[in-house]
Amino acid sequence: MADPTTNRPLHPARPTLSRFRRMRPTTGKSGQFGIAFWLPLAWLFLISFTAIFAPWIGIQDPDSLDFVNLQTPPNDAHLLGTDHLGRDVLARVVYGARVSLVVGFCAPVVGMLLGLPIGMIAGYFGGRIDGFIVGSIDTFLAVPGLVLLLLFSLIFGGSLLVVTVSLGLLFIPIFSRISRAATLSFKSSEFILAARTIGANDFNILVRELLPNVVLPVLAFGLVAVASAIVVEGALSFLGLSVPAPHPSWGGMIAGGREHLEESPHISVFPAIVMFLTVLSFNLVGDTLRSRFADVREAAI
Amino acid sequence: MFKLSLGQRSRRVLTATAAIALAATLAVNNVHAASHSGAVKGGTLIVGVETDSRGFDAVKGGVLGVSAGTVSLAVHDTLLKYNEKTKEFEPNLATAWEASEDNKSWTVTLRKGVKFHDGSDFTAKDVADHFNRILDPANKSRSRSFITAITGVEAIDDHTVKFNLAHPWLPLLGNLAAPSMIGLIPSSANVAADKQNREPIGTGPFMFDSWAGGDRITIKRNPNYWNKDAVHLDEIVFRILPDTQARFASLRSGEIDLIWTDRGSSIVEAQKDPNLTTVVRDGKGAAVTFINASKPPLDDARVRQAISHAWNQTALLKVTWKDTRPFAEHPLGTESKCDAGYRHYDPAKAKALLADYGKPVKISMIHTTTPRGREFGEIYQQLLKQVGIELELVPVDQNTLVKKVFTNDYMISGWRIADADDVGPQTFALSFSKSSYNLTRLMLPEMDKVALAMRTAADPAVREKFHCDLMRMVNDQGNMQYRGGNRYYAFHGTNTHNIGIDGLGVVRVSGAWKDK
Amino acid sequence: MRYLLKRVRRLVVVIFAVTLFTFLLVNVLPGDVAYDIAGQDASEEEVQAIRADLGLDRPVMVRYAEWLGDFVQGDWGRSFRTDEPVVDAILSRFPVSLELMLVAQVFALILAVPFGILAAYRAGRTVDRTIATAGFMSLSVPSFMAAILLILVVSLNLGWLPTSEYEPLSAGLWANLRAFILPALAIAMAEWVVLMRVLRADMIGVLQQDYISLARAKGLPVCHVILRHALKPASFSMITVLGLQIGNLVGGSIIIESIFALPGVGRLLINAIYARDFIVVQGVVVFIAFAYVLVNFIVDLLYAVLDPRIRTERADG
């Protein structure tokens, strides 16, 4: 998956580079999870918990304005200070997490649901079908991701649904590539041949035999995809094209504080720190899980 | 001994600085004077402008704006000049002007011996061609709608032009003095050669030299300028620096000599900086909010009036502009004595009006996706919530916002009344029921009557009175609210002198000079 | 040769599909360029007149066919708003985007090469793990966030580099480069990790080769062995990745170019989208797609030249 804000791959595995070895996990020794796994996991639980239960754990109203306390630095009443409209930054960071988490989890699911069958069909049938699918994906990738998101968001209006779905579409190439590669590697294995000799049709082979094997590497990539979905949502809301006002989102908060960076850096910096920690956590947890549960190479497309 | 001499020296420097500061103050107050004693000849002024120009041709270049206007004002001249102090029009390219008996035409005498940068003579034909080109509907000039009261311009002889009007129309003189696509006179030969847009030729104190798109525009002194003594610099470079903070940083480091900005915190900071001189000018017009009177429940005056009382302009000015813009009760400018019966922030009154209306109010508002647009929406939503109105925010980009307002597909939207010497043509179009620019769709016969009376008034005082009446009706009806008037700020180092702000916030740089 | 033909054919198909796709997308955008040209003070009639004038009132497919026809003949059209030829607009901004990406890659290399070597040499040890963790952290900073933080720390707090604006090369090398330092760093922040990982993986493989052990056994110093004998064979993949990154340059820096106000192709694109300047959007998208496909193509070609097996395998696909 490329980060559409810069179009650079978040991970070195790219189609044309497929013959490079993938980096082995560096977290702890195999067989046990190290601190680089548990700490991020704890952070993710904390963020998810506060986001879900925000109204019941004493988080303030994220939208109410206070024209008297504009841009106040962190203090007792406002642990992370207030923004340029006098709103509580902590409350907005917590409510902003809702957007990031919803998009972060749902967009990869959309991409997976569409990309997985596409990749499996391409890998299984090969030939012209494969050629067509691979060609379409190449075409899709030739348009910068952020441009597509921008266009979608301008056409359909920025809303949680639009952002999630259009971001999900951007995940199709990577998921279909992974599932295609996995399908290819299992296609000629004995259990498939066996199934075919006893007369199973293509649909049965795809769903009964191949799917259980293909789904694992795809899922393993999932958490890392969550991290990049959060990043991209951040970029989109940084441009003001994600969820509508006044709903807070991390990217939007960072953008909103930009104007006041000199006098009140806390408006931008706190959401940036929280976003960074969350993305890092998903990356670390995702990488650990991926290296544990999946060892399928993203073979050539 | 050493210490003493140091002290003496610094004191002398201080005195010198004070003298320069004084000179600068005087200079600012005296922008229109022809020449200055003590002015230094030569040098290059570097100006940081916010946006690149779209071109200088009255048809192809659209509307000039402050950045391109500043360049254009140094390259071209207007027929008249407006003196802010005396409130009088003064000669410039025109030496005399006179209205006919019925006030339906004006005869303007042009200065003799003026030459364009290419050496050709400035004649009445240039003036007539320029205006007739804008007025020709086939050309679709964006400036046309401002001057449709002019029916045609004739060149009587080489140095006399006649402006024919559809009805008595006082804003003509303001347009002849405006540093806009309308007021600035180009060479008609250059326009005909289709080169005016990117290589403008005028009669102005500076000649266009080069333009690197997105980067800079350079102009050089016109050695044959008709008013040579008023020009001191050899060259002016306009650097296109879109980021306000970066522009400001470059000014403070001395990389550039002059900038302008509308960013509140930069203005506040710059005014505190002893190494910077501030030039301020108030404009007319205002940022406004449209309440669409054709969309229920906004078709009920009480709902609109309630919204007016829920609106807290002071809070917005504080949050968004750090109080660097004037509070507007009408778009007639801070100097107007008009009492327009502004509905001040009063939640209790708003609630009472809503109670009288009796039904719950749920409306929506469009705003731009920029941080500023969002901010406006967020403030508006919270203010309306305080009086019990539920407001849904619909973010759209600028282009869509304009389209929605034009096609009557909105309930509430931000807009602006552009600064002009006389905003009457705009307020007329916004209020007159048969005008296609009546964007709030409030159509009242009594409003039409006042609007028409204002438009055709021949006496400035009468016009002003009707204009004020019109604005009082708007405030009463609540189809428009204000979000601050226009106030322009330019900043330059203390070594730069004689910078002024003209109408529309356009900066007048042509008379400037720099200490060696 | 057959392989080459196939690739060129695919390139044409991709460009065609991409242009049709974006043309349709951009055309269903709400609002249109006529409103932008007309501005807030115009009337609806004037807007419609401008639309008709620009030919925007005709069906989408007719306009696409017309655009494609001109495009094939090398005419990319003129901007609706500025009347600037699209080719000129892109070519005048391209050097900025290119320079940004090159400077970013240089920064990325400066970080990636030493850390990649070190990580490979001490693979599995604390140093390796520290570098990997640092890499993860660096990778988790989105470019727009990196940009804001760099402005905050480097320009505002330390006052080192004022968020200075773009200067052309004619203004002097340093004046020109200075404007690229922060934006390039913001991009390099994640880029170096990608390069470092690739280099590390390959370097580990190379270090296990017999000739390296032999060199070591001969008593040559470690530094010498790594830099002289191991680095070159180990950096082939990394250089390939580098090439691909540069291929992404145009679409890659849209946000960064906007934040730092660099007059590059990315900003041209985003402004054109906001203004609904279809012709410019179209031109830039084609340009980006072309760059992307071309660089991928070159990389593939390189492989084909180096490894004959791929030629046949690829030609099937």
Side-chain angles (χ1 to χ4, degrees), chain C residues 9 25 45 83 176 189 194 197 199 208 217 226 253 261 317:
Chain C
R9 212 174 61 199
L25 264 188
E45 291 85 64
D83 204 40
N176 171 259
M189 199 86 155
V194 179
R197 286 179 176 181
L199 179 65
Q208 286 162 355
I226 290 183
S253 44

Side-chain angles (χ1 to χ4, degrees), chain A residues 205-220:
Chain A
I205 293 176
L206 273 171
V207 175
R208 297 242 175 94
E209 311 293 339
L210 278 173
L211 187 63
N213 289 296
V214 172
V215 89
L216 209 63
V218 169
L219 280 178

Side-chain angles (χ1 to χ4, degrees), chain C residues 5 31 38 55 68 123 125 184 189 229 247 268 289 298 307:
Chain C
L5 265 177
L68 195 67
R125 311 275 188 84
M189 199 86 155
H229 301 283
L268 176 71
I298 292 170
D307 185 355

Side-chain angles (χ1 to χ4, degrees), chain A residues 14 32 135:
Chain A
R14 282 181 51 104
Q32 76 203 41

